[in-house]
Amino acid sequence: RSTQGVSSAASDVYKRQSLWYKVGSSFEYPGVTGISHILEHMMFKGTTTTEAGEFSRIIKQLGGSENAFTGRDFTGYYQKVHKDYLETCLKYESDRMVNLMLNKEDLRTEREVVKEERRLRTEDNPSSKAYEKIGMQIFGLQKYGIPIIGTMEDISNISTQDLKDWYKRYYKPSNATLIIAGDFQELKTKQLIEKYFGPIQNKNTTSESKKISHQKSYKDIVLKDNVSSPLLVMSFGNLSLIHISEPTRQEAISYAVF
């Protein structure tokens, strides 16, 4: 653990670094749905010390690969490179944790990319539309009812100020977990983590949540589309793990893990 709170884990497989932030679509609320995913896209733009796309270009020149992903409870970034280039990854990853530049032109470009993703993955996919409707009917447009990609209306209206506020609130060492797997020296690696993440000050911010009144409905959902065959989806309510006995909880966890 670094002095500023970045927790870390390691494994001896090969050199792969990933940085996970504890923020995703379940942290969002109407007006900014999809913001975690849009910010993920914007993280590949420039910082105050690097040009747009420089990090990706360097990783490619080193023969490595990289990508990012957004979930309901997390947003992650990873690089897979030769062990000799671990410091390069740490340097660039720590830089964009604190020095990201967010401007209207980059947002305008990435907004259109994300809108096309939504059209492809949800609006042109009948089964995806059905699951999205089920989530909203159960949870409403809050927490796990919020689509990871966001609503088209919010994607179209999220501003650079919204992104700056989200970035400031959640992108900090104390809200991040760094995972490094592969052939590396543990002591040297910890020193490198301290070197690049240690000086970063944790921003004094708290997560923002907005409770929305929602009445759960069990009405049938009927969607009509041009499909080759009909699709029937049945969804059942169940108890949370915190409301069941310990033996049953452990059994449920074992199924989930293995």
Side-chain angles (χ1 to χ4, degrees):
R1 181 179 294 273
S2 82
T3 55
Q4 293 301 325
V6 177
S7 55
S8 58
S11 172
D12 57 353
V13 185
Y14 48 83
K15 179 31 213 101
R16 176 167 172 157
Q17 167 185 295
S18 60
L19 185 62
W20 299 61
Y21 292 96
K22 188 179 179 182
V23 62
S25 60
S26 68
F27 290 67
E28 298 164 2
Y29 47 85
V32 295
T33 65
I35 193 170
S36 299
H37 180 234
I38 292 177
L39 182 55
E40 174 212 313
H41 279 241
M42 298 293 286
M43 285 286 282
F44 291 87
K45 300 301 181 180
T47 70
T48 56
T49 62
T50 63
E51 297 177 356
E54 180 178 329
F55 190 4
S56 298
R57 186 170 64 252
I58 292 295
I59 294 300
K60 186 175 181 180
Q61 289 174 351
L62 296 176
S65 59
E66 47 131 27
N67 214 328
F69 44 88
T70 303
R72 301 194 186 281
D73 299 306
F74 57 80
T75 308
Y77 306 84
Y78 76 84
Q79 302 85 40
K80 182 178 177 183
V81 296
H82 187 276
K83 63 179 182 179
D84 291 348
Y85 306 121
L86 169 61
E87 183 170 3
T88 299
C89 294
L90 293 171
K91 172 186 173 183
Y92 278 97
E93 198 65 86
S94 62
D95 173 58
R96 67 179 177 180
M97 175 185 279
V98 69
N99 294 320
L100 186 66
M101 296 289 288
L102 294 163
N103 62 65
K104 293 181 180 179
E105 187 56 41
D106 286 338
L107 175 57
R108 187 179 297 112
T109 301
E110 293 308 313
R111 188 198 310 278
E112 294 308 312
V113 174
V114 174
K115 286 166 73 172
E116 186 59 29
E117 282 186 40
R118 177 169 173 85
R119 294 186 190 100
L120 179 65
R121 299 178 182 178
T122 303
E123 297 181 0
D124 292 341
N125 188 323
S127 59
S128 293
K129 284 197 290 189
Y131 286 117
E132 183 174 282
K133 290 286 187 183
I134 291 171
M136 289 191 182
Q137 181 168 286
I138 295 172
F139 298 106
L141 195 59
Q142 60 182 336
K143 299 185 182 295
Y144 290 156
I146 294 176
I148 294 174
I149 193 75
T151 66
M152 188 65 84
E153 180 180 2
D154 286 351
I155 294 170
S156 300
N157 293 315
I158 285 171
S159 67
T160 52
Q161 189 58 52
D162 292 328
L163 288 166
K164 289 175 182 178
D165 292 342
W166 204 256
Y167 177 68
K168 181 179 179 181
R169 184 175 296 126
Y170 294 109
Y171 279 59
K172 53 187 176 181
S174 62
N175 198 50
T177 297
L178 177 66
I179 300 174
I180 299 174
D183 182 12
F184 62 88
Q185 297 178 355
E186 185 174 347
L187 179 59
K188 182 180 179 181
T189 299
K190 286 182 177 179
Q191 291 172 340
L192 288 173
I193 293 172
E194 289 286 350
K195 175 182 177 181
Y196 289 104
F197 290 96
I200 300 176
Q201 295 298 311
N202 277 307
K203 303 151 192 166
N204 240 344
T205 56
T206 56
S207 61
E208 182 177 352
S209 60
K210 296 187 178 181
K211 290 188 176 181
I212 299 171
S213 177
H214 173 70
Q215 183 64 44
K216 186 183 296 184
S217 171
Y218 294 95
K219 293 181 179 179
D220 291 346
I221 297 173
V222 179
L223 299 175
K224 295 183 179 181
D225 210 327
N226 294 320
V227 295
S228 57
S229 57
L231 172 68
L232 173 65
V233 180
M234 301 183 71
S235 181
F236 299 89
N238 209 337
L239 291 174
S240 166
L241 286 178
I242 63 175
H243 295 131
I244 60 179
S245 64
E246 184 60 30
T248 305
R249 183 186 299 115
Q250 291 302 321
E251 182 180 10
I253 292 175
S254 71
Y255 283 124
V257 174
F258 301 105

